[in-house]
Amino acid sequence: MRSYNIYDDIADSYGRAHARWLRFAGGEAQCAFEGAVTALLRPDVRLLDVACGTGTVVRRLLKGLESRANLVLLDASQKMLDCCDDIPAQRVIGCMKNLPFRDDSFDLLTCAWGLETLDDPYPALSEFVRVTRCGGHVCIVFCADRQPRSIADRMLRHRISQTGRGSFLVDGKMRELAMTAGARRVQSLHCSGSAAAMILHI
């Protein structure tokens, strides 16, 4: 991942900055993403959360699950993983472009706000498809190159780009890349603003 050293540096303050992004720009996409993942969660599902960050997303997702999922958290930042010590999961440091897992290892893979940190998201999408079993799903949410909804949205986009924390991906191109990577079908979730959410049916 291009910017994992930056995330080591900002691990302690990441939650506050990300909350601002969700409030002014990415909240609708985040809700669509979490709704899709919640609908797919089942007891004892084998779940990989890629670019897990401080674990905020997966904590919310697991609240409604009666039994514990077989959960693996992966991030390129050790400091981010250290913030996930309270989550009952295997924690793995690694790069999403070269996942350290066998083919067909997971029923469900999630990646929230990680793909935009890469120079090229295609290798990661290929890895997501590879490690997800046939019939499984990959749920992603990412910064998208769409018209900003507000001045705050525009300012946050500028800050993210200028600080090297990510780029804004074209959602149509992301659908094409996902299909090329081997997804059987790509479902775009309804959301507006500078973010997009998708389900890759494997």
Side-chain angles (χ1 to χ4, degrees), residues 13-28 30 54 56-57 60 113 156 160 165:
S13 61
Y14 176 79
R16 293 188 298 274
H18 189 62
R20 286 194 296 272
W21 166 252
L22 294 181
R23 179 181 178 186
F24 293 109
E28 188 178 346
Q30 178 75 35
T54 58
T56 303
V57 173
R60 287 199 298 266
W113 315 110
L156 284 168
I160 288 169
R165 297 183 190 182

Side-chain angles (χ1 to χ4, degrees), residues 139-159:
C139 295
I140 58 175
V141 60
F142 54 90
C143 298
D145 190 13
R146 295 174 171 177
Q147 185 68 28
R149 292 183 297 184
S150 65
I151 294 175
D153 185 347
R154 188 176 294 109
M155 291 174 64
L156 284 168
R157 282 174 56 109
H158 178 75
R159 179 168 176 77

